[in-house]
Amino acid sequence: MHAPESRRSARGQSGHVILPSRWSMRWRNPSQPGWHPQAVSAVLCLWMASVGNLALWQALHQLGSLQGTAGLRLALGLGLGIAALLGTLVSLLTLWAPRWLLKPVLTLLLLMAAFGSYFMQSYGIVIDATMLTNALQTDVREVTDLLHWRLALTVFGLAVVPAWWLWRLQVRYPQGFKARLKNALFLIAFIAVSVGATGIIFQNLAGLMRNHTQLRYLINPLNSVYAMGRLAKPSGNHAGPLQPLGEDAKLAAANSPSARPPLVVLVLGETARSGNFGLNGYTRNTTPLLQAQARNGLMVSYTNAWSCGTSTAASVPCMFSPLGREAYGARDTDTEGLLDVLQHAGLAVLWVDNQAGCKGVCDRVPSASTTGVPVPGFCDGNECFDAVMLHGLEQRIAALPAAARAKGVVVVLHQMGGHGPAYSHRSPAEFKKFGPECLSSALQECSQENITNAYDNTIVYTDFLLNSVVQWLQTQSGQWDTAMQYVADHGESLGENNIYLHGLPYAVAPDVQKHVPWITWLSPAFTQRSGITPACLQHNAAARISHDNFFHSVLGLLGVQTAVYRPALDLYRGCAAGA
């Protein structure tokens, strides 16, 4: 005896049995098996707009925007608007693209929503083009730091389960003119819902987005889609081949009677908060060695320095450019940078990296990476501590061209520094001065005190590193006139206002992500050579400076003359010989 036709189970081409329900039949044509692609899109878009946007709903709740009838109307309107916008994107795909792309694209959107939801909720970050660039440029160590069971659980619940449902689902793809017409009508419907839902709540929504611009970067996964579009867009902005810079550069005559060439080490710090340096007045003594150097009269710390961006990918290319933060963001073309100008001047340049690369600024100079070849005494498993950059440094310098070395050497040491969230991995056991530390990469599991302990221990180790650089430079004084400059690329949030890590858009980022340390050490021989003394520099140590000064100050410190040098941005010019 056969069951009635309406109660039979349908078997798809793959052999899977699909049991229809009354609810699903509403979305289907009884004469054809399977779901209509637009119905599938609508269900999953509603899923992503609602459950996938918990970070957005949480932020709106904290702002008090979801209270009462008006708050409910805002939530419903915004949720429908997000779902309809996602549906519009997928409808465009089903209208023009091959039908087999539907499931992969929806799966990709689900994964983007799941990963975005986890990181936005866990660390208080937002997703924009800069944050996506950071993600694309991360290395294995940084990825490992972020792995946690909470991440796996979030991705499983928000992406894997609905994707499993999607791939088991039988979807029918109508063909012909009528099918295209129906798809076009669905597209129009999605657009109409998006416009209508947004229009109903526009007044409240416009005020929220204007006063809290970070909210627009929480709309998931449209934020990731928009960021990908920004990165992929071949616009006229900084398009075309790399342009030369400072080809006229030359070295000024030195004042030093020793006639020794300069050896300057630029330590590029990573994720360092100026306010957590004891040298800058922090209540904890995180920098005892640097404070001793300052008491010797050879070091000065600028306490009011500000970064170009809130991430390595944004700050490093900007600070090695002559343009400054605002002009760099609006540039029409990409040019060579500081290290190229130093080479044009005839100096030998070396980049040593203990991080995830130089973001393009060292592409045309000799470079070395400390990752991949663990050095006994400096490395713990896959992690090499920053002091490894001094290992074999003399041999690396000796391998540089002799003619250039005779004019002077500039070495850049790129730190791992205090890069989170695994702060406890950044300092060896003997430098763990503050405890207990947060040992989890899911920072929300730890108290802010324990997070700060782990982070402050990275500053204690940075203090050791910088002092080690100074001591090493002192051993080179018979051959070189030596100096060191340390500047961090950006700061860090340690849980203040439930914000962690870094990378927020500059306009809304808290000061702790932008306020960075800037420290200069000059040997007596270099002081005699340049006329610059720490005592003179100390007079302006509290003046507001920024990464805009970095390019020009390094040129001024080394006496490099070029048309791209701007004296007004050189921190050291007022103290230089003949100033």
Side-chain angles (χ1 to χ4, degrees):
M1 186 176 199
H2 296 289
E5 185 69 24
S6 61
R7 299 293 296 171
R8 281 187 200 165
S9 62
R11 187 177 297 272
Q13 294 178 357
S14 63
H16 295 300
V17 174
I18 302 172
L19 298 175
S21 65
R22 292 182 180 178
W23 182 82
S24 64
M25 288 293 290
R26 297 176 186 175
W27 295 90
R28 297 168 47 181
N29 186 337
S31 64
Q32 298 181 17
W35 284 50
H36 192 283
Q38 300 288 8
V40 177
S41 301
V43 171
L44 291 180
C45 289
L46 283 169
W47 171 263
M48 289 182 280
S50 55
V51 181
N53 272 281
L54 293 180
L56 175 63
W57 308 130
Q58 183 178 22
L60 290 171
H61 174 71
Q62 291 173 348
L63 291 172
S65 301
L66 299 182
Q67 297 177 358
T69 304
L72 179 61
R73 185 169 58 249
L74 174 66
L76 290 174
L78 185 55
L80 282 174
I82 295 170
L85 279 174
L86 286 168
T88 300
L89 291 175
V90 180
S91 293
L92 288 170
L93 176 73
T94 57
L95 189 61
W96 301 109
R99 64 186 188 181
W100 59 264
L101 274 177
L102 177 67
K103 288 186 177 181
V105 168
L106 284 171
T107 302
L108 177 61
L109 288 173
L110 286 168
L111 288 170
M112 290 165 62
F115 278 100
S117 179
Y118 173 78
F119 287 111
M120 289 189 295
Q121 278 197 284
S122 297
Y123 300 114
I125 67 168
V126 298
I127 297 177
D128 61 357
T130 301
M131 186 62 70
L132 188 58
T133 300
N134 295 333
L136 294 174
Q137 294 182 354
T138 192
D139 63 5
V140 175
R141 288 182 297 173
E142 294 173 352
V143 171
T144 302
D145 289 345
L146 293 170
L147 297 180
H148 192 271
W149 66 266
R150 290 176 180 266
L151 173 60
L153 186 62
T154 301
V155 173
F156 180 80
L158 294 185
V160 174
V161 171
W164 176 83
W165 172 81
L166 169 66
W167 284 92
R168 284 182 59 86
L169 194 67
Q170 186 175 359
V171 179
R172 60 182 173 85
Y173 297 94
Q175 302 295 311
F177 174 76
K178 287 185 177 180
R180 287 190 175 274
L181 178 61
K182 185 177 290 187
N183 286 337
L185 292 175
F186 268 108
L187 172 61
I188 294 171
F190 278 128
I191 295 174
V193 171
S194 176
V195 173
T198 305
I200 293 172
I201 60 170
F202 180 78
Q203 187 173 1
N204 290 340
L205 185 63
L208 274 172
M209 294 299 176
R210 182 173 59 252
N211 297 323
H212 306 281
T213 55
Q214 72 274 16
L215 291 175
R216 68 188 67 177
Y217 302 108
L218 294 176
I219 301 175
N220 195 29
L222 290 170
N223 48 7
S224 297
V225 173
Y226 178 73
M228 290 174 64
R230 286 283 305 273
L231 293 180
K233 183 181 178 182
S235 65
N237 187 33
H238 47 92
L242 190 73
Q243 299 299 309
L245 181 74
E247 292 184 313
D248 63 333
K250 62 180 181 179
L251 293 173
N255 297 319
S256 174
S258 68
R260 288 187 297 259
L263 170 59
V264 175
V265 175
L266 304 176
V267 182
L268 179 55
E270 169 65 37
T271 318
R273 294 164 47 132
S274 179
N276 287 60
F277 275 60
L279 184 65
N280 294 341
Y282 188 37
T283 54
R284 284 179 162 180
N285 189 15
T286 54
T287 55
L289 301 175
L290 294 179
Q291 287 169 257
Q293 293 286 354
R295 287 193 295 269
N296 291 335
L298 300 176
M299 180 175 287
V300 61
S301 177
Y302 288 87
T303 58
N304 196 11
W306 298 82
S307 68
C308 188
T310 62
S311 67
T312 304
S315 279
V316 172
C318 176
M319 64 194 292
F320 279 78
S321 161
L323 298 176
R325 185 175 68 86
E326 293 185 5
Y328 184 80
R331 69 195 187 282
D332 294 324
T333 58
D334 278 325
T335 68
E336 295 177 336
L338 172 63
L339 302 187
D340 301 284
V341 177
L342 297 178
Q343 280 198 147
H344 294 327
L347 294 165
V349 180
L350 172 66
W351 181 285
V352 183
D353 204 289
N354 193 38
Q355 244 271 17
C358 67
K359 314 307 177 188
V361 302
C362 68
D363 287 355
R364 294 161 298 280
V365 304
S367 61
S369 174
T370 62
T371 60
V373 185
V375 179
F378 292 97
C379 303
D380 180 13
N382 295 324
E383 181 89 3
C384 285
F385 300 110
D386 286 328
V388 72
M389 294 185 288
L390 292 173
H391 178 73
L393 184 56
E394 292 179 44
Q395 290 75 20
R396 288 189 169 118
I397 292 174
L400 298 174
R405 283 189 286 116
K407 294 184 178 181
V409 176
V410 178
V411 177
V412 183
L413 304 180
H414 187 196
Q415 273 189 282
M416 191 62 175
H419 197 287
Y423 304 118
S424 62
H425 294 178
R426 306 285 101 90
S427 60
E430 60 269 29
F431 293 91
K432 296 190 181 300
K433 184 175 181 179
F434 306 103
E437 289 187 318
C438 174
L439 303 178
S440 174
S441 61
L443 297 178
Q444 67 274 20
E445 293 180 348
C446 299
S447 68
Q448 189 171 354
E449 180 183 2
N450 290 0
I451 295 171
T452 303
N453 288 340
Y455 178 81
D456 281 349
N457 288 333
T458 72
I459 305 300
V460 173
Y461 185 63
T462 293
D463 175 62
F464 166 78
L465 172 71
L466 297 181
N467 188 68
S468 298
V469 171
V470 169
Q471 290 179 332
W472 179 81
L473 286 172
Q474 289 171 332
T475 67
Q476 306 297 311
S477 60
Q479 183 181 359
W480 314 89
D481 292 342
T482 58
M484 179 196 76
Q485 179 177 272
Y486 164 78
V487 185
D489 58 351
H490 56 78
E492 186 84 332
S493 289
L494 300 177
E496 300 91 352
N497 299 314
N498 292 318
I499 299 174
Y500 300 89
L501 304 181
H502 53 267
L504 283 177
Y506 201 88
V508 299
D511 285 350
V512 289
Q513 292 191 23
K514 299 181 285 190
H515 189 195
V516 295
W518 183 314
I519 297 169
T520 302
W521 175 87
L522 306 175
S523 68
F526 197 94
T527 293
Q528 187 176 15
R529 173 191 188 88
S530 62
I532 303 170
T533 65
C536 178
L537 296 177
Q538 190 64 45
H539 291 297
N540 293 316
R544 186 181 177 94
I545 61 173
S546 73
H547 281 167
D548 291 8
N549 301 98
F550 182 82
F551 178 97
H552 307 280
S553 298
V554 173
L555 293 184
L557 191 65
L558 286 157
V560 175
Q561 298 175 342
T562 171
V564 297
Y565 166 70
R566 294 170 61 185
L569 293 177
D570 179 1
L571 297 181
Y572 309 120
R573 179 173 173 78
C575 294

